Amino acid sequence: ARLSGQQRELSQYVLAPEKFMKQVKLDAGAGKQYYDANPAEFRIPEQVRVEYLALSVEMLQRQAQPDPAEVRKYYETNRGQFEVKESRQAAHIFVSADAGSGAEARQKARSRAEQIYQQLQKAPSGFAEMAKKRSEDPGSAANGGDLGYIGRGSMKDVPEFEAALYQLKPGEISAPVESRLGYHIIRLTAVRPGQSKSLDEVRDQIEQELKKQLAGRRFAELADGFNNVAYEQSESLKPAADLIRTAPQVSDWITRLRAAEPLLNNPRLLAAVFSDEVLRNKRNTEAIEVAPGTLVAARVVEHKPESVQPFEEVRAALEQRIALRAAGRLAVEEGRRLLGELTQGKSVQIAWSAPQVASREEFRNIPEPVLRQAFRLDTSKLPAYAGVENPQLDYTLVRVTRVQEAADLPPEKASELAGALRQVLAQEAMAAHLATLRQKAGVTINKEFLEKKER
């Protein structure tokens, strides 16, 4: 816990390989030598371009044209969907007395509510001020008891409130209404009458719903036929295209593992495209479901076998990469030299970054390997130094100048760490128990048989 809360002030200095590029002198044949020794890096995988057809509910929905008579029929049949029901703006003064209160407490609450109601009978215009002073509902009291507009069925927890509200006339104040929460004195502020939307107002909404229904039925009708035609007349996609009334599309280059078009980037479809039946025999794939409600059939129109990039095409980039790696090695060498001088206490001119305080849990703009190394350092003598070799070929010097120990551990943090430790110990105990059971049982695993099954 102490270590996890510790903070360290650190600075960095990055030796980038680009700074050492001028010192790099490549041998004339370095690029070709690397190219010949690592052919796999320059391999271009087998590729194909395909002609394909997609049958989808979405496509059919765009094509669908609902009959105007069906639109009107849907409207008449489902008028309830297009009704805006009456709602009422309410305000209340609330006196709390929940169901768990005793009879005496509830009687006192009722008396307070009755007293407030009697005062309002004499001065109904003072409802809002009374709510601010006497209501025990903090959510509405500050607004004069206003609860906004309430529709029927929206107050299922206090049905008595809703029932009383819908019996009032605008401006009228109810006598105290008892609920399981306490007592409510309700005022009806305004009524927003219910109304039905006209057909013109909801026409687009109905048409979209009918298009969806038509497309779903049409997809079900076409799916089997699309698959059968694509498979049985496999020398061309034209019969399938005529069936679904859409033109085939042509893809970009795709490999066995990936297609740029999301519609084609499906493992089953890619496997089918590169099968002998499709690739060698020039036949259509079957219609494959690449997503719910979407079928795709394809055929190969162009094929490129696996090849290797010519050396001249990659020469410049390859030589740049080799030079950069060599420069990276020089950066590491220089970094190690500087680190040696720093740890020996020698004076070294380095443009350190601005000091930054970080902990193991809170750090910004500090690479994780640098942070990890900074917290591994022995800080018994400061400043302390370390070096980090990064995957990007640069080298980072780290300087820790100050250590700040954590304050007292909060109880919740202690509990969290204790729980994590218990979990680790339980996992270790379970692993040891399972190992003991395996040893006692004398189980032998036939690895050769398993490997055959996997193949």
Side-chain angles (χ1 to χ4, degrees):
R2 180 180 61 80
L3 289 173
S4 70
Q6 187 188 80
Q7 293 183 322
R8 295 190 175 192
E9 181 183 72
L10 59 96
S11 305
Q12 308 172 62
Y13 176 66
V14 179
L15 292 94
E18 288 80 5
K19 297 178 182 178
F20 299 86
M21 285 292 282
K22 291 182 179 179
Q23 301 177 31
V24 174
K25 299 289 187 258
L26 289 183
D27 294 336
K32 188 66 166 67
Q33 184 179 354
Y34 186 93
Y35 175 85
D36 292 338
N38 300 276
E41 286 190 29
F42 309 100
R43 182 179 64 83
I44 300 173
E46 182 181 20
Q47 301 176 80
V48 296
R49 291 172 68 234
V50 299
E51 184 182 49
Y52 66 96
L53 282 171
L55 172 66
S56 69
V57 173
E58 183 181 354
M59 178 193 79
L60 295 171
Q61 191 170 330
R62 290 194 298 269
Q63 296 175 355
Q65 294 295 329
D67 186 331
E70 288 297 318
V71 174
R72 177 167 291 279
K73 180 180 177 182
Y74 186 96
Y75 175 76
E76 297 295 344
T77 306
N78 299 276
R79 272 184 177 273
Q81 293 182 19
F82 312 114
E83 289 181 355
V84 178
K85 295 183 179 180
E86 177 188 328
S87 60
R88 296 190 162 206
Q89 186 180 12
H92 79 152
I93 297 171
F94 176 61
V95 180
S96 176
D98 61 43
S101 303
E104 184 178 350
R106 286 191 71 86
Q107 183 57 46
K108 287 182 179 180
R110 175 184 280 277
S111 297
R112 292 201 304 276
E114 289 286 357
Q115 182 186 26
I116 293 169
Y117 177 66
Q118 294 301 326
Q119 292 178 27
L120 289 172
Q121 288 289 89
K122 298 174 183 177
S125 61
F127 187 96
E129 284 303 314
M130 184 70 76
K132 290 178 182 179
K133 294 177 182 177
R134 303 290 297 275
S135 179
E136 296 174 16
D137 175 10
S140 66
N143 297 322
D146 184 40
L147 296 170
Y149 279 90
I150 297 170
R152 283 193 182 274
S154 61
M155 300 195 74
K156 295 178 181 177
D157 289 345
V158 280
E160 304 89 352
F161 184 106
E162 184 180 310
L165 174 65
Y166 275 83
Q167 291 175 4
L168 296 175
K169 296 176 182 178
E172 194 173 0
I173 298 172
S174 75
V177 176
E178 183 178 6
S179 76
R180 65 182 183 82
L181 303 174
Y183 296 89
H184 311 261
I185 301 166
I186 307 167
R187 182 181 67 180
L188 175 58
T189 307
V191 176
R192 185 183 288 163
Q195 60 181 6
S196 294
K197 292 184 179 180
S198 68
L199 174 57
D200 287 339
E201 289 178 293
V202 297
R203 188 182 300 278
D204 288 345
Q205 178 184 341
I206 294 174
E207 286 182 351
Q208 287 303 315
E209 177 60 30
L210 291 177
K211 283 182 178 182
K212 191 184 299 182
Q213 295 177 11
L214 289 169
R217 290 197 294 268
R218 183 65 176 153
F219 182 83
E221 293 168 2
L222 286 175
D224 285 342
F226 178 62
N227 186 39
N228 291 338
V229 171
Y231 184 74
E232 292 171 2
Q233 301 186 46
S234 59
E235 68 284 352
S236 170
L237 284 176
K238 187 177 184 308
D242 292 341
L243 176 69
I244 65 173
R245 298 177 185 176
T246 189
Q249 301 178 65
V250 177
S251 75
D252 200 350
W253 291 102
I254 66 179
T255 69
R256 290 179 180 269
L257 298 178
R258 185 179 177 278
E261 292 93 331
L263 203 61
L264 304 180
N265 198 34
N266 175 275
R268 283 187 61 214
L269 181 61
L270 292 174
V273 165
F274 283 91
S275 67
D276 283 345
E277 185 71 9
V278 176
L279 187 60
R280 312 298 175 198
N281 299 336
K282 307 296 184 184
R283 297 188 178 278
N284 300 337
T285 68
E286 61 179 332
I288 294 172
E289 186 176 35
V290 297
T294 303
L295 299 173
V296 174
R299 64 181 292 103
V300 173
V301 294
E302 197 171 353
H303 174 234
K304 283 183 183 178
E306 181 181 303
S307 62
V308 176
Q309 289 176 283
F311 173 65
E312 289 304 322
E313 285 186 10
V314 299
R315 179 174 184 167
L318 178 57
E319 289 179 349
Q320 176 71 11
R321 192 202 317 168
I322 295 171
L324 198 61
R325 287 181 180 175
R329 289 192 291 272
L330 292 176
V332 171
E333 289 174 11
E334 177 64 7
R336 289 173 177 170
R337 184 188 70 78
L338 292 173
L339 178 62
E341 293 186 2
L342 289 167
T343 53
Q344 291 169 24
K346 295 181 180 180
S347 177
V348 181
Q349 293 298 317
I350 290 178
W352 294 103
S353 67
Q356 183 175 347
V357 176
S359 71
R360 287 176 171 83
E361 297 177 350
E362 295 184 12
F363 55 94
R364 288 181 297 176
N365 304 321
I366 301 175
E368 194 274 336
V370 172
L371 183 81
R372 187 167 60 243
Q373 189 62 42
F375 277 90
R376 284 177 177 165
L377 274 172
D378 178 4
T379 55
S380 56
K381 181 181 178 182
L382 295 175
Y385 301 95
V388 180
E389 294 182 32
N390 297 323
Q392 292 78 14
L393 302 177
D394 60 22
Y395 187 90
T396 302
L397 288 168
V398 187
R399 178 182 66 177
V400 174
T401 48
R402 185 164 59 90
V403 176
Q404 182 176 329
E405 298 297 342
D408 292 340
L409 190 67
E412 62 272 14
K413 184 66 175 178
S415 177
E416 178 186 336
L417 289 168
L421 180 58
R422 281 194 294 270
Q423 186 176 2
V424 170
L425 293 174
Q427 289 171 348
E428 288 184 354
M430 177 60 74
H433 179 59
L434 290 173
T436 302
L437 291 176
R438 288 194 188 98
Q439 189 175 11
K440 288 182 177 180
V443 174
T444 301
I445 299 175
N446 190 328
K447 293 184 179 180
E448 184 180 348
F449 179 76
L450 287 176
E451 288 172 359
K452 286 180 180 179
K453 290 288 286 184
E454 288 175 359
R455 289 197 294 269

